[in-house]
Amino acid sequence: MNIFKYLLSIVTILLILYLSTSCERDDICAEGTPTTPLLIVKFIDSDTGTEIKAPTELQVKAVDIETPFALTEVTDSILIPLKTNELITNYEFTINSNFENDSIPQNTDIVSFQYTPEQEYVSSACGFRVNYKGLTISPPEAGEDGSWIRSITVQRENVTDEATAHVFIFH
């Protein structure tokens, strides 16, 4: 009977040690852990070249997706995702998108973002995040309604965080 109590004590101690050491600190992804960054697009007045100018009734949607992004009121910039498994993401930028106002026609330009996605290991709990290197932009394709985007400049070629704008759109 003493041997049984002795073995039971050893098994209990080993089980407690196993359970207390099997869960590591990085098994939970911390809230402030960096994730795949979004592309920050800032809108600038093409006449001044420096002043912020929000586009009127802006709507942004990926070319191959029907539903546009839900944007809050655009003041100076927007955050949009890039595709993590492709080298190009195409977006339709539409101004005057309010369907209730027929006096001002919609105007859509297509912008193509090219980049090289690079995976970065974060932790076992968070997995991988994708950074985008070598961001370039093709000149915007004007729709049948003309072009509302005057020019686009890349401010930061590597999209690794959401600290400052990556792209300026002049309109």
Side-chain angles (χ1 to χ4, degrees), residues 43 53-58 74-76 94-96 148 171:
F43 299 96
K53 181 181 175 186
T56 308
E57 298 173 0
L58 179 68
V74 178
T75 54
D76 71 337
T94 303
I95 59 169
N96 305 323
W148 67 273
H171 66 104

Side-chain angles (χ1 to χ4, degrees), residues 56-70:
T56 308
E57 298 173 0
L58 179 68
Q59 180 183 64
V60 179
K61 74 178 206 69
V63 169
D64 53 351
I65 298 175
E66 287 299 316
T67 308
F69 289 108

Side-chain angles (χ1 to χ4, degrees), residues 64-158:
D64 53 351
I65 298 175
E66 287 299 316
T67 308
F69 289 108
L71 299 174
T72 57
E73 183 179 338
V74 178
T75 54
D76 71 337
S77 59
I78 59 171
L79 285 83
I80 55 176
L82 296 173
K83 294 180 181 178
T84 58
N85 56 351
E86 294 186 27
L87 302 176
I88 296 173
T89 302
N90 296 315
Y91 278 106
E92 292 179 0
F93 288 81
T94 303
I95 59 169
N96 305 323
S97 63
N98 187 352
F99 298 112
E100 297 170 9
N101 186 355
D102 293 334
S103 63
I104 303 172
Q106 291 186 5
N107 192 329
T108 301
D109 291 352
I110 298 174
V111 180
S112 179
F113 300 94
Q114 299 89 30
Y115 47 85
T116 302
E118 292 182 356
Q119 286 191 353
E120 174 187 354
Y121 180 75
V122 177
S123 69
S124 62
C126 300
F128 289 87
R129 72 184 224 135
V130 176
N131 292 316
Y132 307 97
K133 305 291 182 179
L135 178 67
T136 60
I137 300 171
S138 297
E141 292 179 30
E144 297 172 2
D145 44 15
S147 179
W148 67 273
I149 297 175
R150 302 285 181 245
S151 66
I152 302 175
T153 61
V154 175
Q155 297 299 304
R156 296 173 51 207
E157 290 183 358
N158 297 327

